């Protein structure tokens, strides 16, 4: 006999198939038994025969089980097509509980595809049916899926409350596999919130329960969560051990998407250890799997990981290229938490490149997405503190850049006015000197009575010559100071246009009072600017600023 699912590679295990289901309750138990066998890495044969049965319930279960095989293999679109065939068969109200199982399976497939609207729609239908028929297991299963959507969207408070509600039901019903899975998800949520102690306690509790309930999928998921805990604590070597064990288990189970998800975690751990090239190759391999299985959200995560590798390599151009792809995916699927993270990362890189306009734009996008998350039930105090701090810092930098740009433009305009004034004064004085010299040469009689007047004209001519020289000096000095100020700004990025100009004047030997007159500011302002120059250049108080600047 042949396994019809090529990507679902596991050791073939034959066991006695239950009798074909003919009632709703029998069909539900039949599907859960098949799902458990698949989760434990066994291959099921003979499922295709069920889909050809003339009985509606048997045919629906056949489509449902075949769809779950595709789901485990990471083929979510094929799984959804089979689930929809199962829905088309189940039309009677008496089929509601079995139909709820189909909706539950569809909800999880839509979750992995990143279609949160459809996921929520089907998950809430599962909850509604569970409440209508007082079926706690059905209700808890729907709640667990809804909680995952809340977590993906960043609404952590709602996610926690919903998960805890589902966990209480699973514990009351004694469903150990579901309890372990929910504890693992709660541990991941606690890690996202930065509650490492609570995360460790939840993982320990899940491992304790796993000893009495062998479930290969749960074991692999727990190992992955345990690796994440070690990675968050900075122990990348221990994290890598857990990730490798989890990846091996998922490979044995044939779960391609889970393998790729663990590869993303491994890639990040390798990068933290300095092996960015190996991490980038691993992330690319994972991205290929996510593209083949249309796992959009994790495709975006793979793009982020690749971008991080290029950032570590110092290639910000390629880093931004992959971040743009991740940002587009996050917007497409409505993953606002991912939008916050990617936009904040892009703002950080643009700020490092001094491109404050783009940094400001992406910082605003991150803040808008964060506020949207907050409105969904996550308070400001519970927001991702690190990301919000980054974003606020970039907003401040961008606003500072705007102010500095405005100051610089005003300073340039003032400098142009001073340059024009100096040139105008030079021309005025030149014309006056020429006029007075002509008047002194030909227009003044040489009689003794006019000797005093002649001396006065000569004195005026000398005075205007002095003014002419002064105006020319002002013009030339202005050009020289602007050139020196520009050179100082290139060497010391912390200097503004105004402080660089003051530094150039100090370097030229001008006093504080002279600088205040030329700049048309108070001496106190010049003193503050000198202190700022000392701070930027790291000049100790006992060292003369003039000597320090001349040594630059």
């Amino acid at each position: 006999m042949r396994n019809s699912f090529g990507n679902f590679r596991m050791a073939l295990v034959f066991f006695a198939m239950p009798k074909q289901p003919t009632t709703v309750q029998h069909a539900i138990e039949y599907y859960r038994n098949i799902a458990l066998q698949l989760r434990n890495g066994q291959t099921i044969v003979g499922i295709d025969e069920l889909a050809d049965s003339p009985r509606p319930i048997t045919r629906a279960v056949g489509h449902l089980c075949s769809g779950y095989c595709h789901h485990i293999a990471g083929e979510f679109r094929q799984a959804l097509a089979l689930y929809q065939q199962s829905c088309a068969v189940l039309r009677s109200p008496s089929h509601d509980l079995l139909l709820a199982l189909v909706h539950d399976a569809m909800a999880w497939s839509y979750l992995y595809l990143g279609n949160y609207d459809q996921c929520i729609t089907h998950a809430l239908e599962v909850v509604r049916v569970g409440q209508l028929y007082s079926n706690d297991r059905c209700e808890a299963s729907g709640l667990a899926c809804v909680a995952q959507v809340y977590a993906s969207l960043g609404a952590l408070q709602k996610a926690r409350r919903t998960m805890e509600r589902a966990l209480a039901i699973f514990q009351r019903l004694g469903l150990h596999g579901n309890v372990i899975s929910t504890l693992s998800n709660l541990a991941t949520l606690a890690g996202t919130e930065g509650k490492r102690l609570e995360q460790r306690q939840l993982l320990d509790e899940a491992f304790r329960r796993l000893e009495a309930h062998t479930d290969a999928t749960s074991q692999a998921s727990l190992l992955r969560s345990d690796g994440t805990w070690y990675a968050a604590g900075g122990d990348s070597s221990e994290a890598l051990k857990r990730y490798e064990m989890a990846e091996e288990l998922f490979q044995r189970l044939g779960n391609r998407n889970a393998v790729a998800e663990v590869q993303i975690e491994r890639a990040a751990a390798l990068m933290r250890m300095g092996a960015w090239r190996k991490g980038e190759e691993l992330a690319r391999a994972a991205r290929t799997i996510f593209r083949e299985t249309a796992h959009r959200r994790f495709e975006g995560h793979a793009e982020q990981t690749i971008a991080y590798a290029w950032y570590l390599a110092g290639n910000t151009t390629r880093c931004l290229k992959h971040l743009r792809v991740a940002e587009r995916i996050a917007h497409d699927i409505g993953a606002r938490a991912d939008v916050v993270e990617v936009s904040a990362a892009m703002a950080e890189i643009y700020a490092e490149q001094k491109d404050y306009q783009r940094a400001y734009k992406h910082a605003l996008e991150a803040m808008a997405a964060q506020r949207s998350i907050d409105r969904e039930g996550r308070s400001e105090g519970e927001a991702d503190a690190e990301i919000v701090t980054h974003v606020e810092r970039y907003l401040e930098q961008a606003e500072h850049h705007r102010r500095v740009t405005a100051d610089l433009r005003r300073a340039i305009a003032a400098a142009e006015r001073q340059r024009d004034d100096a040139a105008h004064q030079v021309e005025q004085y030149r014309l006056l000197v020429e006029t007075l010299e002509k008047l002194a040469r030909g227009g003044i009689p040489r009689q003794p009575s006019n000797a005093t007047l002649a001396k006065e004209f000569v004195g005026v001519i000398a005075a205007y010559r002095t003014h002419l020289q002064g105006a020319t000096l002002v013009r030339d000095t202005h050009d020289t100071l602007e050139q020196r100020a520009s050179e100082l700004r290139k060497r010391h990025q912390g200097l503004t246009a105004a402080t660089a100009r003051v530094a150039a004047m100090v370097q030229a030997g001008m006093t504080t009072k002279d600088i205040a007159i030329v700049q048309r500011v108070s001496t106190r302002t010049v003193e503050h600017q000198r202190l700022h120059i000392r701070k930027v250049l790291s000049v100790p108080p006992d060292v003369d600023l003039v000597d320090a600047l001349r040594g630059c």
Side-chain angles (χ1 to χ4, degrees):
M1 300 182 74
R2 181 176 61 87
N3 179 15
S4 60
F5 306 104
N7 290 325
F8 196 62
R9 300 186 181 91
M10 293 179 292
L12 191 61
V13 177
F14 294 95
F15 63 94
M17 289 286 291
K19 185 180 177 181
Q20 288 191 357
T22 55
T23 65
V24 170
Q25 190 59 40
H26 186 196
I28 292 172
E29 293 302 323
Y30 185 97
Y31 167 70
R32 285 175 177 162
N33 182 41
I34 295 294
L36 181 61
Q37 300 297 330
L38 290 171
R39 285 173 60 84
N40 282 324
Q42 296 176 345
T43 299
I44 312 299
V45 293
I47 292 176
D48 294 339
E49 299 171 4
L50 299 177
D52 299 328
S53 172
R55 296 188 181 94
I57 291 177
T58 306
R59 195 159 65 251
V61 170
H63 291 315
L64 180 58
C65 292
S66 296
Y68 193 71
C69 286
H70 283 290
H71 178 95
I72 287 290
E75 299 164 351
F76 301 117
R77 294 194 185 280
Q78 294 91 322
L80 280 169
L82 288 163
Y83 294 152
Q84 286 163 359
Q85 291 181 39
S86 186
C87 284
V89 174
L90 301 170
R91 297 182 179 278
S92 171
S94 61
H95 299 157
D96 279 355
L97 284 173
L98 180 56
L99 189 59
L101 273 184
V102 182
H103 282 299
D104 184 54
M106 291 179 77
W108 286 101
S109 289
Y110 277 121
L111 175 67
Y112 292 126
L113 286 171
N115 191 334
Y116 298 129
D117 290 338
Q118 287 290 339
C119 177
I120 282 284
T121 300
H122 289 283
L124 290 178
E125 177 62 19
V126 176
V127 174
R128 185 193 69 79
V129 172
Q131 292 174 342
L132 180 64
Y133 290 92
S134 300
N135 189 312
D136 290 343
R137 182 170 183 172
C138 182
E139 179 186 355
S141 183
L143 288 172
C145 189
V146 171
Q148 287 295 95
V149 176
Y150 284 145
S152 298
L153 293 175
L156 302 189
Q157 271 191 344
K158 284 186 176 181
R160 176 177 285 275
R161 287 196 298 267
T162 311
M163 278 188 197
E164 288 173 347
R165 186 175 160 192
L167 178 63
I169 296 173
F170 288 140
Q171 286 176 331
R172 188 172 72 248
L173 297 175
L175 301 172
H176 297 291
N178 297 96
V179 169
I180 292 168
S181 180
T182 310
L183 284 171
S184 178
N185 291 334
L186 275 170
T188 302
L189 191 62
T192 305
E193 295 175 314
K195 301 175 181 177
R196 282 180 50 76
L197 180 59
E198 181 185 348
Q199 184 184 12
R200 184 70 263 169
Q201 291 171 345
L202 287 165
L203 286 172
D204 290 342
E205 174 65 15
F207 275 116
R208 186 182 64 77
R209 288 177 177 270
L210 188 63
E211 292 175 0
H213 180 81
T214 304
D215 184 337
T217 301
S218 297
Q219 184 181 359
S221 299
L222 275 179
L223 284 168
R224 177 188 170 190
S225 298
D226 203 29
T228 304
W229 186 83
Y230 279 107
D235 194 344
S236 297
S237 59
E238 283 296 323
L240 278 174
K241 292 178 184 176
R242 267 67 176 180
Y243 290 146
E244 287 166 1
M245 292 166 66
E247 186 178 351
E248 183 182 352
L249 277 172
F250 281 129
Q251 283 175 341
R252 282 167 47 195
L253 293 168
N255 194 330
R256 296 178 69 213
N257 271 289
V259 169
E261 289 172 21
V262 177
Q263 285 177 342
I264 291 292
E265 304 282 357
R266 278 184 60 205
L270 286 167
M271 290 176 199
R272 284 191 289 270
M273 295 174 70
W276 71 268
R277 174 64 72 182
K278 190 174 180 181
E280 192 260 351
E281 291 172 356
L282 203 58
R284 283 184 180 277
R287 185 185 63 179
T288 302
I289 295 174
F290 293 137
R291 284 180 175 174
E292 290 174 358
T293 59
H295 201 339
R296 293 299 305 285
R297 189 184 184 203
F298 276 90
E299 182 187 344
H301 290 181
E303 292 288 356
Q304 289 183 54
T305 309
I306 295 168
Y308 180 55
W310 286 115
Y311 178 78
L312 292 177
N315 191 332
T316 53
T317 303
R318 298 190 72 169
C319 173
L320 286 168
K321 174 186 172 183
H322 290 286
L323 284 177
R324 289 189 197 101
V325 177
E327 184 183 37
R328 186 174 66 251
I329 292 172
H331 280 297
D332 288 346
I333 66 176
R336 289 168 294 183
D338 292 346
V339 172
V340 173
E341 188 173 350
V342 176
S343 296
M346 293 180 77
E348 180 175 2
I349 293 171
Y350 280 126
E352 289 176 1
Q353 294 179 344
K354 308 300 180 186
D355 189 347
Y356 291 106
Q357 186 174 0
R358 289 183 180 175
Y360 188 70
K361 173 193 169 186
H362 287 287
L364 284 178
E365 284 182 7
M367 292 297 285
Q370 186 63 59
R371 291 192 188 102
S372 176
I373 290 171
D374 295 336
R375 285 195 296 272
E376 290 291 334
R378 186 179 179 191
S379 68
E380 289 287 345
E382 294 173 322
D384 191 324
E386 184 178 356
I387 288 177
V388 171
T389 303
H390 277 305
V391 170
E392 287 175 348
R393 186 170 74 247
Y394 301 137
L395 285 172
E396 289 173 4
Q397 286 181 353
E399 193 60 38
H400 174 69
H401 172 68
R402 286 186 172 186
R403 290 196 300 269
V404 168
T405 303
D407 291 343
L408 182 58
R409 285 173 180 163
R410 286 195 294 270
I412 291 170
E416 292 296 334
R417 286 196 300 271
Q418 289 178 11
R419 188 191 300 269
D420 293 342
D421 291 345
H424 182 64
Q425 285 181 2
V426 168
E427 186 62 22
Q428 276 188 327
Y429 293 147
R430 187 182 63 76
L431 292 171
L432 282 170
V433 167
E434 288 177 359
T435 303
L436 289 171
E437 284 180 339
K438 288 177 183 178
L439 184 62
R441 281 197 302 270
I444 303 174
R446 292 182 179 276
Q447 288 82 358
S449 59
N450 292 326
T452 305
L453 184 60
K455 287 180 182 179
E456 289 178 0
F457 271 112
V458 172
V460 170
I461 290 169
Y464 275 108
R465 279 189 182 280
T466 304
H467 283 299
L468 177 61
Q469 292 170 356
T472 306
L473 180 62
V474 167
R475 183 190 62 192
D476 295 342
T477 303
H478 182 274
D479 292 341
T480 305
L481 289 175
E482 286 297 318
Q483 184 179 357
R484 288 180 181 174
S486 177
E487 291 173 357
L488 285 168
R489 285 200 74 190
K490 288 178 182 177
R491 293 179 195 164
H492 307 285
Q493 299 293 330
L495 292 177
T496 63
T499 52
R501 197 177 299 110
V502 170
M505 292 179 185
V506 172
Q507 191 181 44
M510 293 177 66
T511 64
T512 300
K513 187 175 180 181
D514 292 338
I515 295 170
I517 292 170
V518 172
Q519 293 289 89
R520 299 176 184 176
V521 296
S522 66
T523 54
R524 179 178 288 275
T525 300
V526 177
E527 288 170 358
H528 283 304
Q529 289 172 328
R530 290 175 69 115
L531 287 172
H532 178 69
I533 294 165
R534 278 185 177 274
K535 184 178 178 182
V536 172
L537 273 63
S538 302
V539 179
D542 57 342
V543 176
D544 186 31
L545 184 58
V546 179
D547 294 337
L549 285 167
R550 286 177 178 171
C552 287

